[in-house]
Amino acid sequence: VQLQASGGGVVQPGGSLRLSCAASGLEDYAIGWFRQAPGKEREGVACISGRDSSTYYKASVRGRFTISRDNAKNTAYLQMNSLRPEDTAVYYCATTVPRLLSLDPSAYDSWGQGTQVTVSS
């Protein structure tokens, strides 16, 4: 699966961004969003299963970020609201088997190229 992540940018604290992840056949997979800040390990942010679209979030983004998918458009989204400087990172989307709901990067097989999100005043 070839994934294309987009939608990153520079935003002030408290602002919003929506990331997109496009790939053919995306409906056959569970999707995860991950991020990696300079000098830090890659961490899972949100994931959505491929069966019933169940979702799971990292505690620090719960209530601020929303993951969703539009299988008809072969696209997944990460709506990010109330952004904080600590959300600054390169964000990646990835796919895994449809039944899995995990924030562990090692559970994912295919990765997009990443999109930079910078939250700064």
Side-chain angles (χ1 to χ4, degrees), residues 35 45 57 61 63-66 78-81 83 87 91:
R35 66 187 182 190
V45 174
Y57 297 91
V61 308
R64 300 189 297 122
F65 291 10
T66 302
L78 185 68
Q79 177 67 43
M80 306 187 294
N81 299 329
L83 282 161
D87 295 319
Y91 283 70

Side-chain angles (χ1 to χ4, degrees), residues 19-33:
L19 306 183
S20 299
C21 176
S24 60
L26 207 57
E27 68 271 16
D28 295 330
Y29 301 94
I31 301 158
W33 281 99

Side-chain angles (χ1 to χ4, degrees), residues 35-43 88-90:
R35 66 187 182 190
Q36 188 165 20
K40 295 187 176 181
E41 293 188 353
R42 188 169 299 188
E43 62 178 5
T88 295
V90 178

Side-chain angles (χ1 to χ4, degrees), residues 55-74:
T55 59
Y56 186 70
Y57 297 91
K58 177 180 172 63
S60 64
V61 308
R62 198 170 294 139
R64 300 189 297 122
F65 291 10
T66 302
I67 188 172
S68 62
R69 64 192 301 157
D70 185 338
N71 289 338
K73 295 183 178 180
N74 285 317

Side-chain angles (χ1 to χ4, degrees):
V1 180
Q2 286 192 323
L3 303 168
Q4 181 76 27
S6 61
V10 180
V11 63
Q12 292 186 341
S16 298
L17 283 174
R18 188 176 79 157
L19 306 183
S20 299
C21 176
S24 60
L26 207 57
E27 68 271 16
D28 295 330
Y29 301 94
I31 301 158
W33 281 99
F34 299 82
R35 66 187 182 190
Q36 188 165 20
K40 295 187 176 181
E41 293 188 353
R42 188 169 299 188
E43 62 178 5
V45 174
C47 55
I48 185 166
S49 70
R51 295 291 176 83
D52 58 4
S53 293
S54 297
T55 59
Y56 186 70
Y57 297 91
K58 177 180 172 63
S60 64
V61 308
R62 198 170 294 139
R64 300 189 297 122
F65 291 10
T66 302
I67 188 172
S68 62
R69 64 192 301 157
D70 185 338
N71 289 338
K73 295 183 178 180
N74 285 317
T75 304
Y77 305 96
L78 185 68
Q79 177 67 43
M80 306 187 294
N81 299 329
S82 301
L83 282 161
R84 305 167 180 170
E86 55 264 37
D87 295 319
T88 295
V90 178
Y91 283 70
Y92 301 86
C93 60
T95 60
T96 185
V97 294
R99 67 183 182 277
L100 193 62
L101 202 61
S102 173
L103 295 180
D104 182 358
S106 68
Y108 289 76
D109 306 307
S110 298
W111 292 81
Q113 84 290 0
T115 184
Q116 177 70 47
V117 171
T118 303
V119 184
S120 175
S121 56

